[in-house]
């Protein structure tokens, strides 16, 4: 016997999930619990005959082979269950303490459990009637607040649409989701409102009402739903003290809209339980005042702190003077990409100027007007310790998208509307913890380097600066494959920090004032560490597409914004106040999770088209994929590669050839039409990928077994099929260095000789043909040559023939045969070598006899 169960005090999602599971398991028995909510009971009273439900008290006797629990993780002890009973759990909450480890659990992140079951029903093409669809839609709407609660997902909306298509009745939903309160519920509701308290705990709004109410009231959870919708707090706790002739007790009902207040765990402290967003407890023998005091005390330790301005603000703020012109402000907005600036007179905030005012003033040709005339006047600012909720209120009240951050009377930064958007839409919201990567750093970095990085963070803090690891190292650390150098960026003075490290440990500093960079060379004072490079945080400005950027000092946020892709914008804080904390301003962590390559803005490839090559290189290395919009921007910018300097293009190609499998990058670039925008000689033939694999895999046993694949080999294989003139054009266009041009030309020359090589009979013929060519060219042609005879001669020449020489030398010939220095000596030595190669002679005596015969013939 297979039973389908759900929790007591069942709501519409619970009962709808019973129905959904019964549709998927038609042989199972869905048991309706003894206690269901009043609106559910009323619905079932009207429509009971439409469903194959069984009341719990009418459960058939017998062995229970499987129990499927829906919308809950608690599996009750039920008659007929034993150790062999299979357990299945389907729920839309994270795993809790009630989840048995032996259960087969499906835990989904939808707003309602029935949503998942509707998806399964749809995929299975299972038929449902309009009343069944209505019950399922009641489950979705009740648990998602008619698709308005924060936990609502797109999947919930799709499931709701599917149910409406199958005849779900919205008029029935309206009747049962807005059930009128009973007179007793109304009296309790009014009492709760009268005693409602609002507490701010760790920056979060918590509402608590404690009421002594001795009338019997059912469905207090219904009141909690209505009060949550009325006040919209982050959490709501209702304490209702009750007493009858036999005992006294307190009912605790809790609701939460944030994962930062896990009401289920709080209810467990009082003997109850539940989920992160909904929970209850029945506290027998307790006094209402005692429970109230204890609850407030527990909340102070259980409520996680709210996100603050300090967590999302940018440091090193740029300000305008009220005396600057609107034209000055417009130029700065264009240069730095900001939508507004704080206006400061000295250290005092006097207003905020937004792009909206600047655009209007410039439209009316008022560029010479002062900033003071058009700014939002007033001391508009927030503290770094203000909550983001307060920040949002300030932005709405002042109608500005940028607010300066002031601490101890000093402007220390700025926070923008974009920071808020990132906070709530990119996963770094107030409900999530900052990811700390200290353990990963301890795992992958040497103890010596980790110690030095901690010390550098301490020194940075002393200088009122901040230090970060940035870029590819952070990305690869999160992907559990770290490697390469640790890139360090200083939000402050990099040269001063390097000097401080030198003073603390010893060594010397090499600095570049113009670029704000410094190299601390340890000179053996720190075991295992040769040097650390410090770079001042900077921003870039492109005067025109494809230009090299102009660089200025900036904040870490702006420094990260200048990078190519979001997954490269991640940083790790090294200062003591947050060592190991991950900074993610632009959604890089989420893109890593989704395996996306995404640019930061739509003009990224226009500003620097070489990012096109880097995007595909990274995509293929990580086995990620380009985001849809990023791919569109890439395709739009392809033709701009023709305006990029040859040196920069070829540098990127060399980076590609250093990849583990560069052929994947080349083929993907060709697929996207990128190579056509550079040069036709870069287009790969079908066999290119196979030749690259041959390069890496078939060297063993050949004369080139110890050769490491390099640019010359991959570029040689890529250009091998193309005509020599095309290859010459490629080398000229990309300014390929001479050390590569020579082997590329030789590869083309050997390619022309291959038919003769394949027909060669004697080793001396082969040696005469191949002698002028260097080893890299021979190797590439050996890889590219398919004819076995040609491959054999190329390998034989490289391994043996090239180094074959006669034992006699020129001095021997002149001494023993009386020859004078002349071209004749060289010709005789060549003839000796050829005879040796062809096996005609094999000893010094035979060589002397051979020379004697040559001279005799010459003199006859």
């Amino acid at each position: 016997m297979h039973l389908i169960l759900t929790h007591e005090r069942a709501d519409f999602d619970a009962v709808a999930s019973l129905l959904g599971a019964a549709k998927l398991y038609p042989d199972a028995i869905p048991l309706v619990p003894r206690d269901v909510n009043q609106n559910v009971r009323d619905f079932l009273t009207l429509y009971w005959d439409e469903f194959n439900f069984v009341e719990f008290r009418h459960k058939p006797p017998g062995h229970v082979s499987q129990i499927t629990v829906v919308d809950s993780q608690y599996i009750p002890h039920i008659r007929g269950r034993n150790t062999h009973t299979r357990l299945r759990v389907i729920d839309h909450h994270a795993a809790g303490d009630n989840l048995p480890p032996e259960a087969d659990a499906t835990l989904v992140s939808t707003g309602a459990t029935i949503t998942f079951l509707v998806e399964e029903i749809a995929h299975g093409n299972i038929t449902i009637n309009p009343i069944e669809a209505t019950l399922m839609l009641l489950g979705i709407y009740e648990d998602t607040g008619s698709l308005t609660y924060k936990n609502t997902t797109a999947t919930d909306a799709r499931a709701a649409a599917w149910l409406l298509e199958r005849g779900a009745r919205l008029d029935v939903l309206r009747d049962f989701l807005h059930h009128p309160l009973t007179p007793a519920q109304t009296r309790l509701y009014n009492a709760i409102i009268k005693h409602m308290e609002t507490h701010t705990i760790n920056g979060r709004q918590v509402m608590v009402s404690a009421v002594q109410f001795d009338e019997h009231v059912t469905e207090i959870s219904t009141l909690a739903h209505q009060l949550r919708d009325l006040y919209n707090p982050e959490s709501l706790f209702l304490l209702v003290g009750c007493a009858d002739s036999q005992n006294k007790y307190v009912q605790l009902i809790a609701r939460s809209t944030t994962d930062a207040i896990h009401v289920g765990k709080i209810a467990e402290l009082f003997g109850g339980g539940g989920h992160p967003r909904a929970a209850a407890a029945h506290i027998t023998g307790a006094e209402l005042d005692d429970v109230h005091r204890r609850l407030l005390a527990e909340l102070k330790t259980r409520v996680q702190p709210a996100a603050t301005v300090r967590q999302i603000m940018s440091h090193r703020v740029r300000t305008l003077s009220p005396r600057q012109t609107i034209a000055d402000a417009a130029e700065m907005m264009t240069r730095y990409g900001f939508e507004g600036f704080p206006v400061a007179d000295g250290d005092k905030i006097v207003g905020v100027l937004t792009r909206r005012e600047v655009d209007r003033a410039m439209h009316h040709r008022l560029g010479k007007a002062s900033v003071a005339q058009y700014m939002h006047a007033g001391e508009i600012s927030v503290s770094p310790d203000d909550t983001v909720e307060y920040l949002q209120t300030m932005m709405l009240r002042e109608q500005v998208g940028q607010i300066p951050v002031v601490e101890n009377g000093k402007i220390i930064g700025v926070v923008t509307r974009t920071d808020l958007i990132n906070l709530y839409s990119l996963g770094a919201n107030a409900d999530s913890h900052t990811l700390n990567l200290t353990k990963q750093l301890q795992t992958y970095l040497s103890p010596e380097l980790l110690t030095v990085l901690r010390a550098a963070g301490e020194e940075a803090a002393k200088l009122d600066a901040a230090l970060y690891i940035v870029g590819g190292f952070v990305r690869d650390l999160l992907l559990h494959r770290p490697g390469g150098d640790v890139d360090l960026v200083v939000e402050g003075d990099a040269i001063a920090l390097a000097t401080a490290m030198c003073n603390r440990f010893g060594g010397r500093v090499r600095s570049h004032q113009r670029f704000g960079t410094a190299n601390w060379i340890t000179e053996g004072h720190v075991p295992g560490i040769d040097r650390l490079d410090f770079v001042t945080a900077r921003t870039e400005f492109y005067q025109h597409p494809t230009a090299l950027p102009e660089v200025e000092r900036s904040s870490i946020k702006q420094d990260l914004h200048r990078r190519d892709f979001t997954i490269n914008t991640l940083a790790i804080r090294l200062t003591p106040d947050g060592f190991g904390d991950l900074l993610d301003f632009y959604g890089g962590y989420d893109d890593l999770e989704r395996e996306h390559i995404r640019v930061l803005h739509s003009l990224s490839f226009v500003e620097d088209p070489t990012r096109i090559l880097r995007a595909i290189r990274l995509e293929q290395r990580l086995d990620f994929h380009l985001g849809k919009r990023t791919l569109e921007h890439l395709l739009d910018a392809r033709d701009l590669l023709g305006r990029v300097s040859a040196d920069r293009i070829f540098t990127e190609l060399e980076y590609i050839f250093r990849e583990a499998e560069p052929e994947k990058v080349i083929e993907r670039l060709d697929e996207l039409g990128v190579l056509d925008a550079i040069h036709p000689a870069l287009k790969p033939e079908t066999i290119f990928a196979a030749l690259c694999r041959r390069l890496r895999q078939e060297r063993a046993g050949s004369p080139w077994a110890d050769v490491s694949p390099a640019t010359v080999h991959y570029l040689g294989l890529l250009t091998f099929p193309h005509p020599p003139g095309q290859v010459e054009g490629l080398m000229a266009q990309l300014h390929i260095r001479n050390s590569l041009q020579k082997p590329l030309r030789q590869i083309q020359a050997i390619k022309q000789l291959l038919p003769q090589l394949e027909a060669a009979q004697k080793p001396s013929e082969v040696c005469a043909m191949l002698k002028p060519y260097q080893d890299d060219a021979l190797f590439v042609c050996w890889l590219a040559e398919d004819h076995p005879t040609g491959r054999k001669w190329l390998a034989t020449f490289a391994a043996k023939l090239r180094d074959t020489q006669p034992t006699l030398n020129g001095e021997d010939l002149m001494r023993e045969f009386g020859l004078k220095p002349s071209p004749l000596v060289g010709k005789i030595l060549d003839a000796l070598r050829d005879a040796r190669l062809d096996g005609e002679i094999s000893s010094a005596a035979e060589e002397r006899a051979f020379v004697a015969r040559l001279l005799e013939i010459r003199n006859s």
Side-chain angles (χ1 to χ4, degrees), residues 4 10 39 83 125 279 290 321 350 363 374 432 484 490 507 548 651 671:
I4 305 173
N39 56 345
T83 55
N125 293 318
D290 293 340
S321 162
V350 296
H363 175 73
Y374 293 96
S432 64
V490 183
L548 290 173
T651 295
E671 174 191 335

Side-chain angles (χ1 to χ4, degrees), residues 226-259:
Q226 293 194 14
L227 290 164
R228 181 184 63 183
D229 293 342
L230 174 65
Y231 290 107
N232 194 29
E234 290 186 87
S235 65
L236 172 70
F237 291 85
L238 304 183
L239 299 174
V240 180
C242 303
D244 55 33
S245 58
Q246 296 180 341
N247 57 28
K248 58 183 176 181
Y249 57 91
V250 175
Q251 292 189 67
L252 182 154
I253 306 293
R255 295 292 183 266
S256 174
T257 61
T258 168
D259 291 335

Side-chain angles (χ1 to χ4, degrees), residues 103-136:
D104 176 15
T106 299
L107 305 179
V108 295
S109 57
T110 52
T113 300
I114 184 58
T115 295
F116 167 75
L117 296 167
V118 167
E119 275 198 310
E120 295 297 300
I121 290 168
H123 291 158
N125 293 318
I126 298 171
T127 301
I128 62 173
N129 63 43
I131 293 301
E132 290 172 330
T134 300
L135 175 55
M136 294 178 185

Side-chain angles (χ1 to χ4, degrees), residues 53 94 300 312 321 343 374 419 457 493 502 564 604 609 626 631 638 648 710 791 829:
F53 290 145
K300 291 177 181 177
I312 64 172
S321 162
V343 182
Y374 293 96
D419 297 325
D493 191 335
C502 182
D564 44 15
S604 182
L626 296 178
L631 178 58
R638 282 175 303 187
R648 293 183 66 208
R791 281 175 63 82
L829 289 174

Side-chain angles (χ1 to χ4, degrees), residues 8 11 17 59 191 212 423 472 483 566 624 667 715 723 859:
E8 291 294 324
D11 57 9
S17 297
K59 179 189 83 67
Q212 186 68 38
L423 181 72
T566 57
F624 280 20
E667 290 184 332
L715 189 56
N859 295 328

